[in-house]
């Protein structure tokens, strides 16, 4: 089967903007999550492929390419689409982690398909591989609550209280992504649901 020929059977992508200016901003939640995954699993983002920093993660029978696109957010689909086509990874074996301004800070939402919901990174990924891929969206609060516009809000940083909550959520995601890969989205959806209810 083509999975064994391609080498990688899964693609895990954290979305964000490259550069020190954007570090730890609301729009970079995906980067923060995969950085924590790399720290936990002792992975190294040491190879630049498809306009993205990549790390390799061996998880049982699965070989996972973990990716941090180095395009800006609105072109995130370029590296994702290129890697998916090159390694013949189907959309249902792709997981994208991103921020969500329509969710309260720390709220998690897991979907196996659906619209981008106004998120420019997800919109661009949709244009490259369609909408039938897995996505974890991490709530970062809304611009209205902070009385500012969307652009300034997503490029702002978190308060200490917000970051404390989000670190816990990032730790949770980093420690449980393997459940999605090993047991599927229905199983993982139950894990996310239980965590959100705490």
């Amino acid at each position: 089967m083509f999975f064994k020929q391609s080498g990688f059977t899964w693609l895990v992508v954290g979305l964000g903007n490259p550069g020190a200016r954007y570090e730890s901003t609301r729009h970079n939640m995906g980067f923060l999550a995969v950085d924590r995954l790399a720290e936990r699993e002792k992975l190294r983002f040491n190879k630049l492929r498809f306009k993205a920093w990549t790390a390799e993660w061996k998880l049982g029978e699965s070989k996972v390419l973990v990716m941090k696109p180095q395009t800006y957010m609105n072109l995130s689909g370029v590296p994702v689409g290129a890697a998916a086509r090159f390694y013949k990874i189907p959309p249902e074996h792709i997981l994208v982690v991103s921020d969500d301004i329509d969710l309260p800070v720390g709220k998690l939402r897991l979907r196996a398909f659906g619209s981008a919901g106004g998120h420019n990174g997800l919109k661009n990924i949709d244009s490259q591989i369609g909408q039938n891929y897995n996505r974890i969206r991490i709530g970062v609060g809304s611009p209205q609550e902070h009385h500012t516009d969307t652009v300034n809000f997503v490029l702002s940083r978190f308060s200490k209280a917000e970051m404390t909550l989000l670190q816990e959520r990032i730790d949770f995601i980093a420690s449980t992504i393997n459940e999605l890969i090993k047991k599927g989205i229905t199983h993982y959806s139950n894990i996310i649901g239980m965590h959100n209810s705490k």
Side-chain angles (χ1 to χ4, degrees):
M1 194 168 173
F2 68 77
F3 289 144
K4 290 185 179 179
Q5 294 170 358
S6 71
F8 291 101
T9 58
W10 274 84
L11 179 60
V12 172
V13 185
L15 297 189
N17 283 307
R21 175 186 173 191
Y22 302 104
E23 284 181 7
S24 300
T25 58
R26 295 174 194 270
H27 225 14
N28 275 35
M29 284 306 302
F31 276 11
L32 292 172
V34 296
D35 281 343
R36 182 67 186 95
L37 173 67
E39 181 184 4
R40 177 184 174 84
E41 299 294 331
K42 297 179 173 54
L43 312 178
R44 294 178 62 199
F45 286 104
N46 60 356
K47 188 173 284 190
L48 193 61
R49 289 182 268 204
F50 313 108
K51 298 181 180 178
W53 283 113
T54 61
E56 298 183 8
W57 182 23
K58 189 71 169 65
L59 186 61
E61 295 300 311
S62 298
K63 190 177 179 185
V64 183
L65 184 68
V66 186
M67 173 180 283
K68 294 169 62 177
Q70 296 301 291
T71 57
Y72 284 101
M73 183 67 80
N74 62 351
L75 292 175
S76 299
V78 174
V80 174
R85 288 187 292 272
F86 185 84
Y87 292 114
K88 298 181 173 65
I89 301 173
E92 58 269 24
H93 278 210
I94 296 173
L95 170 65
V96 177
V97 186
S98 73
D99 62 289
D100 193 324
I101 62 171
D102 293 322
L103 293 174
V105 173
K107 182 82 170 179
L108 304 177
R109 177 172 289 163
L110 176 68
R111 293 286 185 273
F113 56 85
S115 73
H119 192 288
N120 288 333
L122 296 178
K123 279 184 188 176
N124 196 247
I125 293 172
D126 290 355
S127 74
Q128 296 288 322
I129 64 170
Q131 297 182 337
N132 295 326
Y133 58 93
N134 305 290
R135 71 282 310 268
I136 298 175
R137 301 176 75 152
I138 306 171
V140 295
S142 71
Q144 291 78 18
E145 292 173 359
H146 291 76
H147 310 290
T148 186
D149 63 273
T150 300
V151 172
N152 284 323
F153 181 69
V154 297
L155 298 182
S156 68
R157 289 178 168 80
F158 299 100
S159 68
K160 285 186 178 180
E162 288 175 326
M163 203 63 226
T164 297
L165 173 59
L166 286 166
Q167 285 291 354
E168 188 275 335
R169 295 296 193 260
I170 290 168
D171 286 344
F172 166 76
I173 290 169
S175 65
T176 58
I177 281 178
N178 59 48
E179 295 286 340
L180 170 63
I181 294 170
K182 291 190 291 188
K183 298 184 180 179
I185 192 161
T186 300
H187 171 79
Y188 193 53
S189 182
N190 291 332
I191 293 174
I192 292 274
M194 287 188 290
H195 195 73
N196 272 332
S197 66
K198 290 181 180 179

